[in-house]
Amino acid sequence: MSLAARLLLAFGLVAIIATAFVGLTLREASREIIEGGFAERIDAAHAGVRQQLAWEADALRDLLPPLCRHDTFVDKAHVELERAKGDPDAMDPGSRIALGRLVPSQAKALRLDELSLVAGDGSVLGAEDGARIGTRDKRLAELIQAPGGAPRLRPAKAGGEPSLEVHCALSRHGVTIGLVGARRIGPVLARIGEAYHVRLTAAREGELAPRSSEAEVVRVLHFAEIPGLDVVASVPRDPLRQALARLDRAIALTGATVLAIAVAMAVVLARSLSRPLVALARETREVMSGAPRRVEGRGGREIADLAAAFNATIDELAAMRKRLAATERIAARREVARQIAHEIKNPLAPIRAAVETLRRLRQRDDPAFDDYFAEATSTVLNEVHRIANIVTEFTQFARLPPPNLTPIDLVAVARGVVTLHAAPASGEATSGARLSSGAGATSGTGAPSPRVELVADPIPEVSADRDQLIQVLTNLVQNGLDAASAIRRDPRVSVTIGPLPNDRVRIVVRDNGPGVADDMVPRLFEPYATSKEKGTGLGLAIAQRIVFEHGGEITYRKAKKGGAVFEIWLPIAGPPLLEKPLGDTTVRPRPPDAPRS
């Protein structure tokens, strides 16, 4: 993942997490505040209802007793009932009608919701509700027999509502008459609930107290001033949901804005950070594929420190490369000297034997001297020629020039080698070469298959030494033909070229011979390691050295169907960290003040 992508992801996550954290905290705090507001409104409504009911109770307590003591309306009703000897049914009908008309007006004057004029037996002589006149209510009869006093709660009847009820009674000459008045609590609750935006309803006797839910906040209020009165206070949660919905939209909008700002800042910061890093990476790739020159770090102290550390590393690597090259050449020369000494010992033995024999024959004036002289001198000359060849081949290995790097067409180079070796040796029936540009291509003719074929995919030009790569390919192709010709009448060698990842190319040389013996594989690329009757075994050693000095690798494996397979990997840009060829021991790091090319 690129630096810009990481910064975008990091800033985005920080913005999202911060917005979510702040938003959730703010949302929860808002919920608590609004819920607290609900509780405060209910508490305020509770206090208001208590105050109002206390006032109503005080007013009702002193409202009716004066009427029973000296009001002409009550006295007249008592006189009429006394004339009827306490029997409401025996009262004068006209008097009863007049009393029935007086009660509603009196109730209105006293602002009572209900007012009943009741005889001692519970008969209703007058009421604000005309339907109740003439009925008998046992509860009212018991009520007026009790002493008056503070208002009491009258529970709600079926379909009705609770009320505050007061009464007074007048008893003379064995006749009792009383007034029973009531004010409903519902209007008081409605008026106070509207003032505090709380719905207040009197709880019905025997009903379960409701509980708070997602739709509303509910609390049951108790009033010590009026025993038995319970009021259910409820506040709908709609304002809370609406407020939270608005808050959620605000948080989402704020989060989107913060995210956009964070992304913009990340883009700006990523560009400011990645631009010098990209430039440094580009210069680093140029260094790895070319001269070990210094890179410049721009964009901050850290990048400058990185560039300085990289430059120091490049300087050290270049110096180590130079020392390693010198060390390798010294080791190679030592190996050459050891191998030369070993190889020269073999021809020296017959030379010495021939010379000593000639000396003995000469000292004895042996007649066989002349006959043996020609044979001995021929042996000496042959062995001396052999020594000269050994010295020449080892000198060639020791003085192998460093690669002269130029852009070359590797496919064209391989095509030239294949064309050179495609013609069959004398006595073989096949001829011609097959050159194709893709796997599976054929010659397109009816001619027999060639000895050597080339299959190549498109690749870019490679920075390499043309002559040295021709030497490597020639050695591998010729070795393959020699090995296959030893056991087959149709020796074949296939050369395949194609691209590899990381800016590399691959060369595969495959033959249909017997392959390399298992005991030779560990020593395959060592000087003088060979299974041929003739030869010094320097071909693969030279090939490996050329490939290594080009910054590549060469490996061997045995083919699945028999034969040898050699694979070469070469970097397209040439060997890294080389300012000059390895043969030049004056390789130095690029000085800091050197001009750029």
Side-chain angles (χ1 to χ4, degrees):
M1 184 181 295
S2 64
L3 175 62
R6 291 184 179 181
L7 285 176
L8 286 174
L9 181 60
F11 274 64
L13 288 177
V14 169
I16 293 173
I17 293 173
T19 303
F21 177 76
V22 174
L24 291 176
T25 303
L26 181 61
R27 194 177 192 274
E28 189 61 27
S30 300
R31 175 188 288 275
E32 293 178 358
I33 292 174
I34 297 174
E35 293 277 4
F38 291 162
E40 291 176 357
R41 285 158 55 184
I42 293 176
D43 291 339
H46 189 190
V49 171
R50 176 181 286 110
Q51 182 179 4
Q52 185 65 27
L53 290 179
W55 182 86
E56 292 284 350
D58 290 341
L60 288 174
R61 182 174 56 248
D62 299 330
L63 187 63
L64 293 183
L67 296 178
C68 291
R69 285 195 297 267
H70 48 72
D71 189 80
T72 57
F73 162 66
V74 177
D75 288 342
K76 182 179 180 181
H78 186 271
V79 169
E80 292 295 334
L81 184 61
E82 188 177 356
R83 287 176 181 175
K85 298 181 180 180
D87 184 4
D89 295 334
M91 290 178 65
D92 180 56
S95 299
R96 294 189 62 173
I97 293 173
L99 291 175
R101 291 177 179 178
L102 287 173
V103 171
S105 60
Q106 191 71 24
K108 186 175 181 180
L110 296 175
R111 295 187 299 107
L112 293 173
D113 296 317
E114 297 180 12
L115 182 62
S116 301
L117 181 61
V118 183
D121 60 354
S123 297
V124 179
L125 303 177
E128 88 293 343
D129 184 8
R132 296 174 56 221
I133 298 176
T135 62
R136 184 172 293 178
D137 191 336
K138 184 179 180 180
R139 186 185 70 85
L140 295 180
E142 296 176 353
L143 183 62
I144 62 176
Q145 297 299 328
R152 69 186 66 188
L153 176 67
R154 188 187 71 185
K157 299 179 181 179
E161 57 181 302
S163 304
L164 289 178
E165 191 176 57
V166 293
H167 73 280
C168 66
L170 176 61
S171 297
R172 288 198 302 250
H173 307 111
V175 177
T176 301
I177 193 170
L179 285 175
V180 179
R183 282 182 183 170
R184 293 191 294 272
I185 296 177
V188 176
L189 299 180
R191 185 172 60 255
I192 296 177
E194 184 178 359
Y196 293 100
H197 303 286
V198 178
R199 187 163 62 91
L200 299 173
T201 58
R204 294 186 178 274
E205 188 176 2
E207 291 184 353
L208 293 177
R211 296 182 179 180
S212 298
S213 63
E214 291 294 329
E216 59 182 358
V217 178
V218 179
R219 188 195 300 175
V220 178
L221 308 179
H222 304 283
F223 297 90
E225 298 83 359
I226 304 177
L229 176 62
D230 292 333
V231 176
V232 178
S234 62
V235 179
R237 293 182 184 268
D238 292 338
L240 173 62
R241 288 196 293 268
Q242 294 171 1
L244 292 180
R246 290 195 300 271
L247 183 60
D248 290 341
R249 289 193 294 271
I251 292 174
L253 180 60
T254 303
T257 304
V258 172
L259 181 60
I261 295 174
V263 170
M265 293 178 59
V267 170
V268 174
L269 186 59
R271 288 181 177 178
S272 63
L273 289 178
S274 62
R275 187 179 295 112
L277 290 177
V278 170
L280 182 61
R282 183 178 62 253
E283 292 184 3
T284 303
R285 286 193 296 270
E286 293 176 357
V287 169
M288 296 302 296
S289 61
R293 56 187 176 83
R294 300 177 65 86
V295 299
E296 297 181 5
R298 307 180 184 88
R301 185 182 64 185
E302 293 79 4
I303 298 178
D305 293 343
L306 176 61
F310 179 81
N311 291 331
T313 303
I314 289 297
D315 295 343
E316 183 64 24
L317 286 177
M320 290 178 61
R321 181 84 177 191
K322 181 182 68 175
R323 292 194 298 269
L324 179 61
T327 303
E328 288 180 347
R329 290 188 175 275
I330 293 173
R333 293 188 179 99
R334 289 177 177 175
E335 181 64 18
V336 167
R338 187 184 68 81
Q339 294 291 345
I340 289 178
H342 175 76
E343 290 299 313
I344 290 179
K345 286 183 180 179
N346 293 332
L348 286 180
I351 292 175
R352 180 177 180 179
V355 172
E356 289 178 351
T357 302
L358 285 176
R359 287 172 59 87
R360 286 196 304 270
L361 294 176
R362 182 64 176 173
Q363 289 175 358
R364 296 191 308 230
D365 292 330
D366 194 320
F369 176 81
D370 294 333
D371 296 334
Y372 183 72
F373 181 81
E375 179 183 353
T377 54
S378 176
T379 300
V380 170
L381 290 176
N382 289 336
E383 295 302 326
V384 169
H385 181 68
R386 180 181 171 189
I387 292 174
N389 288 338
I390 293 173
V391 173
T392 299
E393 291 185 4
F394 275 108
T395 301
Q396 180 184 5
F397 175 72
R399 293 182 179 178
L400 183 67
N404 183 21
L405 304 179
T406 58
I408 65 171
D409 185 349
L410 186 58
V411 176
V413 171
R415 185 179 293 113
V417 175
V418 168
T419 302
L420 180 65
H421 292 82
S426 58
E428 293 189 21
T430 60
S431 63
R434 180 168 70 183
L435 308 176
S436 57
S437 60
T442 60
S443 61
T445 66
S449 300
R451 298 193 328 148
V452 184
E453 65 176 356
L454 172 65
V455 179
D457 293 329
I459 61 171
E461 288 188 337
V462 179
S463 179
D465 189 309
R466 181 185 184 91
D467 294 336
Q468 290 188 0
L469 289 189
I470 290 176
Q471 183 178 358
V472 172
L473 291 175
T474 299
N475 182 279
L476 295 178
V477 171
Q478 188 59 55
N479 284 351
L481 289 175
D482 292 344
S485 299
I487 63 170
R488 306 176 67 97
R489 298 186 59 186
D490 57 340
R492 296 284 181 269
V493 175
S494 171
V495 180
T496 304
I497 298 178
L500 282 177
N502 301 325
D503 296 328
R504 298 181 301 167
V505 295
R506 179 177 65 175
I507 306 172
V508 180
V509 180
R510 181 184 288 103
D511 62 58
N512 61 348
V516 179
D518 293 340
D519 58 339
M520 279 295 299
V521 171
R523 303 175 52 247
L524 189 59
F525 295 101
E526 293 182 3
Y528 200 67
T530 181
S531 58
K532 297 181 180 180
E533 295 181 359
K534 298 180 179 181
T536 59
L538 292 176
L540 290 179
I542 293 175
Q544 184 190 51
R545 180 169 176 180
I546 291 174
V547 172
F548 281 1
E549 291 188 353
H550 277 75
E553 296 181 23
I554 181 172
T555 61
Y556 162 80
R557 73 172 187 271
K558 196 165 187 177
K560 294 180 180 180
K561 296 182 179 180
V565 179
F566 288 88
E567 291 192 19
I568 299 175
W569 296 272
L570 293 176
I572 294 176
L577 298 176
L578 288 180
E579 182 177 4
K580 294 184 179 180
L582 284 176
D584 190 347
T585 58
T586 61
V587 176
R588 297 181 181 88
R590 184 186 181 93
D593 56 349
R596 292 180 175 271
S597 57

